[in-house]
Amino acid sequence: MNFSVVLPAKNEAATVAVVAAAIKEQFPEAEIIVVNDGSTDETGLLAKSAGAIVINHPYSKGNGASIKAGARAATGNVIVFMDADGQHDPKDISSLLALIDEGYDLVVGARQSGSQASVGRGLANGLYNKLATYMTGHKVEDLTSGFRAVRAEKFKEFLYLLPNGFSYPTTSTMAFFRAGYSVKYVPIHAAQREGKSHIKPLKDGMRFLLIIFKVATLYSPLKLFTPAAAFFFLLGLGWYGYTFTIMSRFTNMSALLLTSGFMLFMMGLISEQITALMYKER
């Protein structure tokens, strides 16, 4: 199989050469691409010394931007994405490629219990997985895992959708489900990363909340808007029943709640049509 391995890296001088060398040892024929995302240390030089092709960003553009740069440069018909911080074991690449060879379009390494960076991150990822499972109707075991193998041609169809930040795994997984491509999960154990994480829980808290809504609207907006619309509509009917019984009146609050329910449903319909247009050629 002709495949490329893409490693986004920002200030990963402590591990990037070790990871690249380990991949080279396991798969001498693999094309290894390290995207140096504006590092202020020797990440780029060390990656090059380990035999990797290095793409240097003049400043930090984000994890997603690095993924897109690596995907555009990759020449393999399959691309493996993994972290350069030592969390992912290159030996697991074989398991992902074996399922690609069986006909799957996207194979994701699903982190098992004990592999999450912290309890808070584990709870957040569990919430994302449950939401994605509800939205897609398929079991989503790890929505945010950055260790994955994918058919290059199909992944490049969705480059325009991917954000420049950290949520590229979420967006790409939901896009593959929406397009009707085959997705498979493989259990892996992720080691603790070397060095300091670039994710700041307090600063990125709101961004992760927005990711939840993005997951919903990216796949099937009506599944998000319909329950919210039904809630406001039923609340309006209940309030109207109460005020009619007590005061024999139809109040402004009843009108507001009923109108809100109707508007949310209409917004869901419009969003559903826009989402369908995004995948019209798939």
Side-chain angles (χ1 to χ4, degrees), residues 118-201:
S118 65
V119 175
R121 288 274 294 279
L123 292 175
N125 288 335
L127 177 61
Y128 300 154
N129 296 341
K130 290 183 184 300
L131 174 64
T133 297
Y134 162 71
M135 297 301 299
T136 63
H138 299 279
K139 175 69 173 177
V140 176
E141 298 181 26
D142 194 342
L143 185 64
T144 60
S145 173
F147 189 23
R148 51 190 56 212
V150 63
R151 297 189 185 276
E153 181 182 1
K154 294 180 178 178
F155 184 79
K156 291 176 182 179
E157 293 177 11
F158 303 112
L159 287 184
Y160 73 100
L161 282 177
L162 303 184
N164 288 338
F166 277 100
S167 63
Y168 103 86
T170 298
T171 306
S172 59
T173 300
M174 299 302 290
F176 267 67
F177 274 122
R178 175 73 188 197
Y181 291 145
S182 302
V183 179
K184 180 70 173 179
Y185 288 89
V186 174
I188 64 166
H189 177 76
Q192 292 296 318
R193 64 162 287 137
E194 296 287 339
K196 186 178 180 181
S197 173
H198 301 300
I199 296 179
K200 301 177 177 60

